[in-house]
Amino acid sequence: MATDPYYDSNVVLHLKGNGEHNSTTIVDQKGNIIGLVGDVKLSTVQKKFGTASILFNQTGQCCSVTGSAIALGATDFTLELWVYPTVTTPGALLFCGVTDTKDYLLFALGFSTESDKVGFPYFSIWTNGINKTLTSLIPLIENTWSHVALVRSSNIFNLYINGFLAESTSASITIETPDIWYLGGYNE
């Protein structure tokens, strides 16, 4: 079996979601301590890979990891996740970075609140007075597994849905390191 030559040096967070049904132990394969907010648990009912997936069945339920665990800065990166939304709640966030001291979002990947794009994935970043937002032209389908990837390469941000380029923007910015990263049902 071939191995990923970039895994050891480049992957900073890897949540497989493996475990028993209703377990509240979420393990990061890279050793980060994962906090739980709300009734987050593993579910064997819907899973894409392995034995289970992480279930966020209400707004406000999420996993958390310290901001320094994922320092994006001005480097190229890929953020990817498999999602199975049972509802695409406008404003619900799949992944976000929050600054506690300033009480605002720095980085968000979630569902749009735009009237003509409600439920479509979007990405926004706020840093040093700059705001960049892009909204997918491809919706996520409820009750279906979808692959969502945000790729930064040479200051071009590309949002992919199931391997298709959904939207793109350019920004020459340094992403501030938040106090905390949230994954799951965080709501702004």
Side-chain angles (χ1 to χ4, degrees):
M1 175 186 241
T3 59
D4 184 343
Y6 303 103
Y7 183 83
D8 288 337
S9 61
N10 293 357
V11 173
V12 295
L13 181 70
H14 183 189
L15 301 177
K16 285 182 157 183
N18 282 341
E20 296 180 18
H21 189 69
N22 287 328
S23 172
T24 56
T25 302
I26 310 294
V27 177
D28 173 31
Q29 304 300 304
K30 298 302 278 188
N32 294 297
I33 296 171
I34 304 300
L36 304 180
V37 178
D39 189 28
V40 177
K41 57 188 155 202
L42 296 179
S43 172
T44 57
V45 176
Q46 295 297 336
K47 58 186 181 288
K48 181 69 178 169
F49 304 105
T51 60
S53 62
I54 304 171
L55 175 64
F56 310 99
N57 63 1
Q58 293 179 12
T59 298
Q61 295 182 350
C62 50
C63 292
S64 64
V65 65
T66 183
S68 61
I70 307 171
L72 300 176
T75 62
D76 292 347
F77 66 85
T78 299
L79 166 69
E80 62 180 316
L81 41 125
W82 283 93
V83 296
Y84 188 93
T86 55
V87 62
T88 52
T89 304
L93 301 174
L94 302 169
F95 186 81
C96 66
V98 178
T99 300
D100 291 337
T101 55
K102 297 176 187 172
D103 196 31
Y104 69 88
L105 292 168
L106 294 174
F107 180 103
L109 178 61
F111 293 110
S112 177
T113 58
E114 295 177 38
S115 61
D116 63 334
K117 298 274 186 178
V118 169
F120 283 60
Y122 83 97
F123 162 69
S124 277
I125 187 164
W126 303 265
T127 188
N128 299 320
I130 298 170
N131 176 296
K132 283 287 191 174
T133 299
L134 55 100
T135 303
S136 171
L137 301 175
I138 302 170
L140 290 185
I141 306 302
E142 293 177 355
N143 301 309
T144 302
W145 283 105
S146 293
H147 185 256
V148 178
L150 176 67
V151 178
R152 178 185 187 165
S153 178
S154 300
N155 294 323
I156 304 295
F157 291 84
N158 292 313
L159 179 61
Y160 293 91
I161 306 297
N162 294 319
F164 294 97
L165 180 61
E167 190 57 275
S168 183
T169 190
S170 63
S172 180
I173 58 177
T174 298
I175 299 170
E176 295 177 53
T177 299
D179 295 319
I180 195 160
W181 289 102
Y182 289 109
L183 171 70
Y186 187 83
N187 205 350
E188 48 182 336

